[in-house]
C-alpha cells in the first residue's frame, strides 16, 4: 500500500514510523505506530458500498462502551478501495473450545452486541458478506463469486449441495424483519483477557438479516478459528437458549427453525470452498455428520 504513509499524514496527522503487523484476506490490514506515538490500525478493502455503514455502526457501538476498536476516521476512498483507521486494541486471545460452556460465554457477548446495535440506524450494509449471502438474487444455489464459480463445481459433494438447497429454501420462506448484526462471529474475531471479553473485531462483516438468522449463524460459527468448522449441535443449542434467556424473549417456532437453518449456511459455504480448493474437508465432514439433525430442527 504505497499510499499508506501519505494517507496517514493527511487523515491522522502523523506519518507511520513502524509496522506492528500486516494481514491480508478480504481486507488489507496494517497495524502502525505513528510519529506522534499513537498506535493505529488501517484497513483497506474493495468497496461494495458496505464499508461506510459498517464503520458508522462500529463507531456507535464503541461510543456505547462495547469492547471493539473505535474508528478514528470515516471511510475514505482511495481509488477503488474503501479505507479507514481505527484504534489499536492489543492484548487478549481467542477462547478455545466448542463445548456448551464456551457457547454460553460467547452467546453472552453476542447478546450484548445485538442489544448494542438496537437503535443504530445506518443504510443496510448490502450485499451481505458472501459466506452469509443465502439471501442473494443471483441465479442458482450459491451467490455469484467469480473466483469460485469458475472452478469445477462437480467436485462439491452432493450432500453439501442438497443440504444447502434445503436450508436456503427454509430461510427464503421466512417472513421476518431484518436487523443489523455481526455475520462473522468466530473465535478468531473475539479476544479475551482474564476471563472477560477484550475486543470483538471484523466489523466489515456486519449484515442485514433476520435476528434469528444472525443468531443461528453465530451459534454455528462461534468456535471457528482456521480452518473454520461447525460447532457441535448441543453447543449450538446452548448458544440459542442463552441468547433468548438474556434477551428476555423466546423465539417463535418460525424463528427457531430459521436459526437452525442459518446455522448451516456458513459451514456450507466453507464446505464448498474446501471442495473447490482441494482442502481438508473440516466443514464438509461436520456437515455430513450434523446436517440431518440441523435440517430436522429447521423443519427443512
Amino acid at each position: 500500500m504505497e499510499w499508506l504513509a501519505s494517507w496517514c499524514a493527511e487523515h491522522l496527522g502523523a506519518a507511520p514510523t513502524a509496522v506492528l503487523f500486516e494481514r491480508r484476506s478480504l481486507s488489507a490490514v496494517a497495524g502502525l505506530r505513528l510519529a506522534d506515538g499513537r498506535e493505529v490500525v488501517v484497513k483497506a478493502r474493495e468497496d461494495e458500498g458496505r464499508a461506510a455503514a459498517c464503520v458508522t455502526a462500529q463507531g456507535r457501538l464503541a461510543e456505547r462502551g462495547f469492547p471493539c476498536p473505535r474508528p478514528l476516521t470515516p471511510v475514505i476512498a482511495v481509488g477503488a478501495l474503501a479505507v479507514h483507521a481505527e484504534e489499536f486494541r492489543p492484548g487478549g486471545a481467542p477462547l478455545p473450545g466448542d463445548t456448551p460452556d464456551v457457547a454460553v460465554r460467547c452467546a453472552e457477548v453476542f447478546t450484548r452486541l445485538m442489544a448494542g446495535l438496537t437503535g443504530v440506524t445506518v443504510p443496510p450494509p448490502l450485499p451481505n458478506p458472501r459466506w452469509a449471502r443465502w439471501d442473494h438474487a443471483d441465479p442458482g444455489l450459491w451467490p455469484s463469486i467469480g473466483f469460485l464459480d469458475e472452478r469445477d463445481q462437480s467436485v462439491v459433494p452432493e450432500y453439501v449441495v442438497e443440504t444447502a438447497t434445503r436450508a436456503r429454501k427454509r430461510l427464503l420462506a421466512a417472513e421476518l424483519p431484518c436487523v443489523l448484526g455481526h455475520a462473522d462471529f468466530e473465535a478468531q474475531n473475539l479476544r479475551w483477557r482474564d476471563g472477560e471479553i477484550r475486543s470483538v473485531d471484523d466489523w466489515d462483516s456486519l449484515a442485514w438479516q433476520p435476528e434469528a438468522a444472525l443468531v443461528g449463524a453465530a451459534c454455528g460459527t462461534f468456535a471457528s478459528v482456521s480452518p473454520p468448522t461447525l460447532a457441535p449441535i448441543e453447543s449450538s443449542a446452548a448458544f440459542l437458549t442463552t441468547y433468548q434467556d438474556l434477551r428476555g424473549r423466546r423465539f417463535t417456532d418460525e424463528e427457531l427453525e430459521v436459526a437452525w437453518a442459518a446455522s448451516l449456511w456458513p459451514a456450507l459455504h466453507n464446505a464448498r470452498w474446501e471442495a473447490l480448493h482441494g482442502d481438508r474437508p473440516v466443514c464438509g465432514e461436520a456437515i455430513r455428520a450434523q446436517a440431518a439433525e440441523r435440517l430436522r430442527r429447521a423443519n427443512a
Side-chain angles (χ1 to χ4, degrees):
M1 297 190 287
E2 300 83 3
W3 47 266
L4 189 54
S6 60
W7 189 94
C8 289
E10 179 179 356
H11 298 290
L12 296 171
T17 58
V19 177
L20 305 176
F21 65 85
E22 288 184 290
R23 294 196 302 268
R24 284 185 178 272
S25 55
L26 296 181
S27 301
V29 182
L32 305 171
R33 181 175 296 114
L34 303 182
D36 59 10
R38 286 178 296 162
E39 294 182 342
V40 304
V41 176
V42 177
K43 296 186 174 183
R45 68 299 234 173
E46 292 185 7
D47 190 6
E48 294 183 292
R50 298 171 31 82
C54 292
V55 171
T56 299
Q58 177 183 348
R60 298 284 188 273
L61 271 183
E63 290 169 1
R64 295 177 178 186
F66 187 82
C68 65
R70 177 175 59 90
L72 301 175
T73 70
V75 171
I76 298 164
V78 177
L81 298 176
V83 183
H84 84 280
E86 60 189 38
E87 67 178 350
F88 180 39
R89 289 175 60 92
L95 182 66
D98 62 5
T99 64
D101 287 347
V102 173
V104 167
R105 295 182 65 188
C106 292
E108 292 169 350
V109 177
F110 196 73
T111 306
R112 183 178 169 191
L113 184 160
M114 293 295 287
L117 286 173
T118 301
V120 172
T121 303
V122 295
L126 298 171
N128 286 315
R130 66 190 189 198
W131 57 88
R133 205 178 299 167
W134 50 262
D135 49 2
H136 66 86
D138 301 325
L141 172 61
W142 308 104
S144 294
I145 305 170
F147 68 92
L148 294 182
D149 298 341
E150 66 190 14
R151 292 175 176 257
D152 179 7
Q153 303 300 307
S154 69
V155 302
V156 181
E158 182 59 35
Y159 71 87
V160 170
V161 174
E162 179 186 356
T163 302
T165 301
R166 292 170 61 183
R168 183 168 186 252
K169 181 179 179 181
R170 179 65 192 90
L171 289 164
L172 291 176
E175 297 183 0
L176 298 171
C178 290
V179 300
L180 196 61
H182 200 298
D184 200 20
F185 195 75
E186 297 185 335
Q188 62 186 349
N189 290 327
L190 280 69
R191 288 180 286 117
W192 303 74
R193 186 168 66 188
D194 299 329
E196 300 294 330
I197 188 67
R198 164 64 177 159
S199 188
V200 178
D201 299 316
D202 194 17
W203 293 92
D204 293 2
S205 297
L206 287 178
W208 182 251
Q209 289 179 337
E211 178 186 13
L214 293 163
V215 180
C219 86
T221 62
F222 75 86
S224 286
V225 285
S226 184
T229 186
L230 176 62
I233 289 172
E234 60 271 20
S235 297
S236 291
F239 191 109
L240 290 175
T241 297
T242 299
Y243 182 87
Q244 293 170 81
D245 289 345
L246 293 177
R247 287 290 263 170
R249 182 180 75 82
R250 309 309 300 176
F251 279 174
T252 65
D253 289 347
E254 180 182 31
E255 287 176 307
L256 281 173
E257 291 172 4
V258 164
W260 283 107
S263 76
L264 283 161
W265 192 262
L268 289 162
H269 167 86
N270 291 329
R272 180 191 182 214
W273 176 289
E274 292 165 351
L276 294 176
H277 288 82
D279 295 341
R280 185 165 62 94
V282 177
C283 282
E285 289 305 312
I287 291 291
R288 187 193 298 274
Q290 298 187 32
E293 178 59 19
R294 288 181 183 266
L295 289 171
R296 184 190 70 80
R297 296 187 186 207
N299 192 25

